[in-house]
Amino acid sequence: MKPHLPALLLGLGLSTATVLPAAAYPVDCAILLCLAGGWPASAECAHARAVFIRRITPWPIEPPLQIWNCPMRASFHGEEQPIERLFDIAVRGEPVPLISSPETPLALQLVQDRADVDISDPAFDFVRSIRVFEITYQQRRNRDGDCNSWGVVYMGSYGAQGDYSRRRSSVSAVPAASDLAVPADCRDYRHRSVFVEWRDYKGSYGHEEVHY
């Protein structure tokens, strides 16, 4: 799988004349592919990134990549590798016929809250690199001169198969790239934001922060 990914990412540089509009394919397939490639410049990746960031813009806060909505094995082309199938769906806009039985209604979300293929391979480490921090912090000095501070941080992350979970974290765990900067002198300070970070397929770091 690894040797194919760099070549497939080059496909994102195709002119928009050869690619269907963003609405023609599942946007999470585009997010997955564009994230892997470091968000290359294209109309499709610009749209994918906008959706990725909008999902962490309060409220509600959603998983920025919802890989379970990208049907990498939902076609009858079972011989293809997942990353190659992803390229067909996200870039070429190929129609995606879903596998179903009379007892099972057609549905895009074939697997609940996880990828419908095995993505435990290191080639997909860029998915597991995504972390979302919901940050609330404030401090002030009271009338007695004591420094009162209060902070709540939740961190969202992805498991081996792209499943998303959210748990309580701490202010000290917030990445240095965040705008959170607690003053040492205990002056009045408030910070509320959602911060997301990731690494692309080559390991290059990226982040975005939404304040509210």
Side-chain angles (χ1 to χ4, degrees), residues 32 63 65-68 112-120 124 127-128 157-165:
L32 186 62
L65 169 63
Q66 298 173 15
I67 193 172
W68 47 89
Q112 183 66 36
D113 297 340
R114 53 169 287 177
D116 65 349
V117 296
D118 181 5
I119 65 164
S120 60
F124 286 94
V127 173
R128 292 175 284 275
S157 60
Y158 290 84
Q161 297 302 331
D163 46 305
Y164 185 82
S165 62

Side-chain angles (χ1 to χ4, degrees), residues 116-189:
D116 65 349
V117 296
D118 181 5
I119 65 164
S120 60
D121 189 280
F124 286 94
D125 279 350
F126 64 90
V127 173
R128 292 175 284 275
S129 76
I130 304 170
R131 297 197 301 171
V132 179
F133 292 85
E134 304 166 35
I135 310 164
T136 302
Y137 182 87
Q138 62 181 8
Q139 73 174 28
R140 62 183 297 272
R141 194 175 297 278
N142 64 22
R143 294 179 180 178
D144 297 325
D146 298 324
C147 184
N148 294 332
S149 63
W150 179 82
V152 175
V153 176
Y154 287 93
M155 184 185 76
S157 60
Y158 290 84
Q161 297 302 331
D163 46 305
Y164 185 82
S165 62
R166 177 178 174 270
R167 62 178 177 83
R168 187 74 174 262
S169 187
S170 65
V171 172
S172 61
V174 175
S178 169
D179 293 335
L180 176 67
V182 180
D185 58 1
C186 197
R187 64 179 180 272
D188 287 357
Y189 178 76

Side-chain angles (χ1 to χ4, degrees), residues 70-76 78 82 85 89 99 110 116-118:
C70 179
M72 289 186 281
R73 192 181 278 171
S75 80
F76 297 107
R85 184 71 191 122
I89 297 169
I99 299 173
L110 299 182
D116 65 349
V117 296
D118 181 5

Side-chain angles (χ1 to χ4, degrees), residues 3-57:
H4 295 290
L5 186 54
L8 295 177
L9 294 175
L10 293 176
L12 292 168
L14 295 172
S15 70
T16 55
T18 63
V19 182
L20 293 182
Y25 52 78
V27 68
D28 284 283
C29 296
I31 291 174
L32 186 62
L33 197 59
C34 294
L35 174 66
W39 303 107
S42 71
E44 293 71 35
C45 285
H47 171 72
R49 183 178 176 123
V51 173
F52 183 86
I53 300 303
R54 177 183 57 77
R55 286 174 173 168
I56 67 159
T57 303

